[in-house]
């Protein structure tokens, strides 16, 4: 499974960066596959979709990244992750169950690779009172994981209201981890939850943004679940289980040295040095 996923990610990375031609490798189309290895924690009963906009480089605040994320509401907690990460995992499982081939999978997910922008999957409340963060830190399916107590928020609820996505929402503010946040929640949606780590209001958080403008989350869709949809933690061999402080250091180092880590780990034997050079230049950028 590890070899299959590594090759899939490598091919997706190439195609999403301008090299769309498939390699001619004998037997590639018949390569066996397996489902995503996971630890199921719960099953979703509802999905809440959020458009996320954030600044990756604080020295270039004018450059924003947009992601499509999904909050899955379970029976005992919830999960927040990039929608395209969830969609890719679901498709892998579906193709395997139907005895599909690697080439069939690649053809269906190649357009999604470039859309994955939010790299942390968050499980909230499994077990109760605890959160679990799993962050993808490189193209090689390396993960950094850590758990921590679920945060509490000292919400200050005001009188101001406005309509968002057809819901009459009330304003609330808080200070958390060095930032001030303004949230809008809908009491008519009786879920004390919200995007990413945010929760604790008497209704779903429909929109929230940091007052410095670096992070914004806004509701853009809902889906009732009428089928089996597991809330899970991916199980990866290449995983660093650390404290929150250690994880932040690793994530920063991975981002700053992505190209070198990729080259040294995969140890590509390229017959075309020019091609490898172009690939490394693109990862560095």
């Amino acid at each position: 499974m590890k070899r299959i996923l590594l090759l899939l990610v490598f091919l997706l990375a190439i195609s999403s960066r301008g090299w769309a031609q498939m390699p001619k490798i004998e037997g590639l189309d018949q390569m066996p596959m397996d489902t995503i290895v996971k630890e199921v924690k719960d099953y979703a009963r509802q999905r809440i979709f959020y458009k996320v906009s954030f600044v990756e480089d604080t020295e270039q605040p004018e450059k924003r990244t947009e992601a499509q994320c999904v909050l899955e509401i379970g029976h005992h907690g919830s999960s927040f992750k990039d929608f395209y990460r969830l969609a890719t995992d679901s498709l892998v499982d579906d193709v395997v169950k139907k005895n599909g081939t690697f080439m069939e999978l690649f053809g269906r997910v190649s357009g999604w690779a470039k859309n994955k922008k939010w790299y942390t999957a968050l499980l909230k409340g499994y077990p109760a009172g605890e959160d679990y963060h799993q962050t993808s830190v490189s193209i090689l399916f390396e993960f950094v994981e850590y758990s921590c107590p679920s945060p509490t928020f000292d919400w200050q609820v005001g009188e101001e209201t406005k309509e968002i996505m057809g819901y009459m929402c009330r304003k609330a503010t808080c200070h958390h981890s060095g930032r001030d946040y303004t949230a809008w929640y809908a009491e008519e949606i009786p879920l004390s939850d919200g995007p990413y780590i945010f929760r604790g209001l008497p209704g779903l958080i429909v929109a929230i943004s940091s007052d410095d403008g670096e992070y914004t989350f806004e509701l853009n869709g809902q889906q009732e679940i009428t089928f089996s949809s597991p809330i899970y933690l991916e199980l990866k061999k290449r995983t660093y289980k650390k404290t929150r402080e250690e994880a932040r250091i690793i994530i920063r180092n991975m981002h700053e040295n992505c190209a070198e880590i990729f080259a040294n780990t995969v140890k590509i034997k390229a017959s075309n040095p020019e091609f490898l050079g172009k690939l490394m230049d693109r990862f560095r950028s």
Side-chain angles (χ1 to χ4, degrees):
M1 179 63 177
K2 179 172 139 184
R3 182 169 63 92
I4 305 301
L5 290 177
L6 182 58
L7 181 56
L8 174 61
V9 171
F10 176 69
L11 296 176
L12 289 177
I14 293 174
S15 65
S16 65
R17 287 164 172 80
W19 291 289
Q21 184 177 358
M22 287 295 298
K24 295 180 179 180
I25 303 176
E26 184 178 354
L28 179 62
D29 58 333
Q30 298 300 323
M31 184 179 291
M33 301 195 318
D34 198 358
T35 56
I36 296 297
V37 182
K38 60 178 77 71
E39 179 184 353
V40 176
K41 297 290 189 179
D42 199 353
Y43 288 87
R45 54 189 176 88
Q46 189 175 3
R47 288 176 180 162
I48 312 294
F49 298 91
Y50 289 91
K51 177 182 177 181
V52 183
S53 177
F54 59 99
V55 175
E56 291 189 87
D57 186 351
T58 56
E59 295 184 358
Q60 297 179 300
E62 71 284 354
K63 293 185 178 181
R64 304 188 66 84
T65 299
E66 291 191 352
Q68 178 62 62
C69 292
V70 58
L71 172 69
E72 293 191 291
I73 305 297
H75 298 277
H76 308 291
S78 60
S79 170
F80 186 81
K81 63 179 61 175
D82 189 291
F83 167 74
Y84 293 100
R85 176 174 175 176
L86 173 64
T88 300
D89 288 354
S90 298
L91 183 57
V92 170
D93 287 347
D94 181 64
V95 171
V96 170
K97 290 175 183 177
K98 295 178 180 178
N99 295 317
T101 66
F102 176 85
M103 290 302 293
E104 178 186 352
L105 175 64
F106 180 85
R108 295 175 65 181
V109 306
S110 58
W112 292 352
K114 61 186 177 186
N115 293 326
K116 295 180 186 179
K117 304 295 183 181
W118 188 264
Y119 297 106
T120 296
L122 170 64
L123 269 64
K124 302 192 278 187
Y126 302 103
E130 188 171 342
D131 285 2
Y132 196 94
H133 297 249
Q134 185 182 69
T135 301
S136 173
V137 292
S138 82
I139 196 173
L140 305 175
F141 276 96
E142 293 177 309
F143 283 80
V144 169
E145 299 176 353
Y146 69 90
S147 61
C148 62
S150 300
T152 56
F153 300 88
D154 184 19
W155 293 108
Q156 304 299 312
V157 177
E159 296 298 323
E160 187 178 349
T161 61
K162 70 175 180 179
E163 184 176 319
I164 302 176
M165 288 286 291
Y167 296 104
M168 187 55 63
C169 301
R170 184 177 295 276
K171 182 179 180 180
T173 59
C174 75
H175 182 84
H176 183 75
S177 295
R179 282 192 170 94
D180 293 314
Y181 292 92
T182 298
W184 297 88
Y185 68 96
E187 292 181 329
E188 62 184 291
I189 307 178
L191 296 172
S192 185
D193 211 328
Y196 195 37
I197 61 173
F198 302 103
R199 72 203 87 175
L201 283 165
L204 180 71
I205 298 174
V206 172
I208 184 170
S209 60
S210 59
D211 289 359
D212 59 14
E214 291 187 6
Y215 290 89
T216 64
F217 303 81
E218 186 167 351
L219 175 75
N220 66 349
Q222 299 181 66
Q223 179 187 24
E224 295 294 331
I225 302 299
T226 59
F227 48 88
S228 179
S229 179
I231 291 175
Y232 56 90
L233 177 69
E234 286 191 52
L235 299 178
K236 302 289 186 181
K237 291 183 179 180
R238 300 182 64 85
T239 297
Y240 306 92
K241 295 185 177 181
K242 301 292 183 179
T243 65
R244 180 176 182 272
E245 292 71 23
E246 292 171 336
R248 292 168 70 90
I249 294 174
I250 291 174
I251 292 169
R252 183 176 65 249
N253 289 341
M254 287 289 192
H255 287 171
E256 291 176 352
N257 302 285
C258 176
E260 286 71 20
I261 293 171
F262 174 78
N264 292 335
T265 304
V266 179
K267 299 186 184 303
I268 301 173
K269 295 181 180 180
S271 59
N272 187 340
E274 183 179 356
F275 168 80
L276 180 58
K278 289 180 179 180
L279 182 61
M280 290 298 99
D281 288 342
R282 287 182 178 272
F283 282 128
R284 291 188 181 94
S285 66

